[in-house]
Amino acid sequence: MLSGTPQSYPQREPLPRKKGRMFPWALAVLCALCAATSATEKCTVPADQQSLVTELQRSMESSVILQSPPNPSILIALNLAGGTQDGTKEKLLVQQIEDRIIKEGTAEMTSGEVALYILALLSSCEDPKRVTADINLVEVLTLKTKEELTYLSYHSTPKTTFYQLSLDTLALCLERADVDEAALSLAKEALAKDFSVDTGAMATLALTCVHKGLVKAEQSRILEPIHEALDKLRQQILRAVETNTANTYSIGLALQALNVTSVSYLSGDWSCSQTLAKVLTEISQGAFDNPMAAAQILPSLVGKTYLNVIRLSCSSDKVMVEYTIINQLRGQHFTHTIPVSVPKGSVLLSVLQAAQQDNPQDFSYKTEQTSWGLMVVSINSRAADSNDKTYWEFFNGTEPLDQGVDSYIPSNNEHIKAVFSMY
């Protein structure tokens, strides 16, 4: 399950839409930050107050414990802010997400939950298309988004909410899936309805992502409604702030949405430094102590939005290895191939471990310690046997490896083969 707080469930708004506490400086925050691209003053947290942002991040990390349900929003925010200070917390969050997907499946998940998991895995440089060999979250989300759109066509409302449909569109857009139909439907609905602040902000992020990718001539038919929808959503967000219908938990997403628009706003007497000083004052007074509120505001404080999850640096930390096991010698023959990702510098044994974790049915293995080092004695239940002189031989392409699985270090895009052989 996702976090038990109501705002963490994507099937409804992150928090109830009510007229609660509203910061008097909120409109100025929005205007000043959104105008930052055209102003000479940079919208960055002063060095002497960076500790407040660091403390906000540390507080979010402390909310992540072994027994807690997976919270993709916190993982996204922490990664956008540069990663967790305690590396084990990121691994724990990723593991919690993957465990839930594997143990509970995706059938009962809403489309928005799947979309959040995709964004979270992307932010941690994990491939949502390969949670396991049999679970491709992008395919799952594509089908669930089609269900949302079909329901929308008959009932004038999606199967869940427009907030979730916006999340779906954003996640699929970042994965470069075909989202033209979803984006066009979302734009038309945004023009016909008045979205809440959170829904409008998420729709803005999604439509901005799609708009940036519209380069083909045949896609021009959806450019105009998307452009019109973005303009209306931007004005709605500003008006909601003015009329105090945006609350503490909405301000973060509102900042993200307006920060990706290309329109400059008049900032009046507000300077960026004054605006950020007020934001940081509210942080110091505990306004964002709730982990979900912190997760929404943190990306904007470091100049990031959900659109940045695919721009995080991943390639230097991981290597991709194609791993194939082949038995054409004894018993039932088989050939299985799986791509796996392991940390750079990992030994071959880590590849076997990752393959077994992704697909234990085909890539299980056993090892024995010998005087020559660790030896693989069985793969996919096919065991080596000294009586018939069989063993598992490893190759880099067509070249036999001259090192054992506990010492050989594969390089990126290497093809490792394990072949059941005779000596």
Side-chain angles (χ1 to χ4, degrees), residues 92-321:
L92 176 58
L93 281 165
V94 171
Q95 193 61 54
Q96 287 174 337
I97 289 172
E98 292 179 342
D99 285 348
R100 189 209 169 187
I101 294 169
I102 294 170
K103 291 177 182 178
E104 299 183 20
T106 59
E108 299 302 318
M109 288 185 184
T110 67
S111 64
E113 288 178 298
V114 177
L116 270 177
Y117 281 179
I118 288 176
L119 294 176
L121 292 174
L122 283 174
S123 75
S124 284
C125 301
E126 301 289 337
D127 187 355
K129 296 189 292 294
R130 298 185 181 278
V131 177
T132 71
D134 299 320
I135 300 178
N136 181 333
L137 287 187
V138 177
E139 288 184 354
V140 171
L141 182 58
T142 298
L143 293 175
K144 287 184 180 290
T145 303
K146 287 181 179 179
E147 292 177 1
E148 297 275 9
L149 295 175
T150 299
Y151 196 93
L152 175 62
S153 66
Y154 286 103
H155 303 282
S156 299
T157 185
K159 185 177 180 181
T160 56
T161 65
F162 285 109
Y163 182 85
Q164 290 203 56
L165 181 58
S166 300
L167 263 175
D168 305 341
T169 306
L170 174 61
L172 290 174
C173 176
L174 292 176
E175 274 291 292
R176 298 183 179 181
D178 183 3
V179 290
D180 284 5
E181 182 183 357
L184 184 58
S185 296
L186 187 61
K188 289 179 177 179
E189 294 297 331
L191 288 170
K193 297 177 173 64
D194 287 338
F195 286 164
S196 65
V197 177
D198 285 343
T199 299
M202 190 57 69
T204 298
L205 292 171
L207 293 177
T208 298
C209 177
V210 176
H211 187 274
K212 290 181 177 180
L214 295 179
V215 293
K216 297 180 181 179
E218 59 267 25
Q219 293 173 322
S220 60
R221 67 182 179 87
I222 68 174
L223 272 171
E224 185 175 351
I226 286 180
H227 179 77
E228 292 177 357
L230 285 172
D231 184 63
K232 179 186 175 182
L233 289 169
R234 180 174 60 251
Q235 298 303 323
Q236 282 183 325
I237 293 171
L238 289 171
R239 185 165 61 251
V241 173
E242 286 181 298
T243 56
N244 292 342
T245 54
N247 57 30
T248 309
Y249 305 97
S250 300
I251 197 70
L253 277 177
L255 286 172
Q256 287 195 47
L258 294 176
N259 204 32
V260 301
T261 63
S262 58
V263 176
S264 296
Y265 301 92
L266 295 176
S267 57
D269 296 330
W270 288 90
S271 72
C272 180
S273 58
Q274 289 174 328
T275 301
L276 286 179
K278 294 180 182 295
V279 175
L280 296 171
T281 296
E282 293 293 339
I283 292 175
S284 67
Q285 294 174 352
F288 296 94
D289 282 354
N290 182 290
M292 283 300 297
Q296 304 291 16
I297 197 67
L298 184 61
S300 292
L301 293 177
V302 296
K304 298 290 180 61
T305 74
Y306 284 175
L307 295 178
N308 294 114
V309 297
I310 57 170
R311 299 189 182 100
L312 301 177
S313 177
C314 301
S315 59
S316 61
D317 301 325
K318 299 272 189 176
V319 295
M320 292 297 300
V321 178

Side-chain angles (χ1 to χ4, degrees), residues 45-88:
V45 176
D48 61 350
Q49 293 183 287
Q50 185 63 46
S51 60
L52 288 174
V53 181
T54 302
E55 183 57 35
L56 190 69
Q57 183 175 351
R58 185 179 296 114
S59 177
M60 289 174 59
E61 286 191 44
S62 66
S63 71
V64 180
I65 58 176
L66 185 61
Q67 295 81 11
S68 63
N71 195 319
S73 296
I74 288 180
L75 180 58
I76 295 167
L78 290 173
N79 283 330
L80 287 174
T84 58
Q85 296 170 357
D86 179 357
T88 62

Side-chain angles (χ1 to χ4, degrees), residues 339-388:
V340 297
S341 174
V342 295
K344 187 176 181 180
S346 299
V347 296
L348 179 54
L349 184 63
S350 297
V351 173
L352 273 65
Q353 292 170 341
Q356 179 176 254
Q357 181 178 355
D358 285 353
N359 185 355
Q361 181 176 348
D362 294 331
F363 289 91
S364 62
Y365 70 96
K366 294 180 180 178
T367 61
E368 288 184 2
Q369 188 66 47
T370 71
S371 57
W372 294 92
L374 202 64
M375 178 175 291
V376 177
V377 296
S378 176
I379 297 178
N380 194 18
S381 301
R382 176 52 56 192
D385 190 338
S386 58
N387 292 325
D388 60 7

Side-chain angles (χ1 to χ4, degrees), residues 316-331:
S316 61
D317 301 325
K318 299 272 189 176
V319 295
M320 292 297 300
V321 178
E322 187 174 4
Y323 175 47
T324 299
I325 56 174
I326 302 172
N327 169 33
Q328 301 292 335
L329 192 61
R330 294 283 191 271

Side-chain angles (χ1 to χ4, degrees), residues 6-21:
Q7 66 270 20
S8 67
Y9 287 89
Q11 58 263 41
R12 50 182 179 264
E13 300 300 339
L15 275 182
R17 293 296 145 259
K18 61 183 180 179
K19 291 187 178 182
R21 180 187 181 198

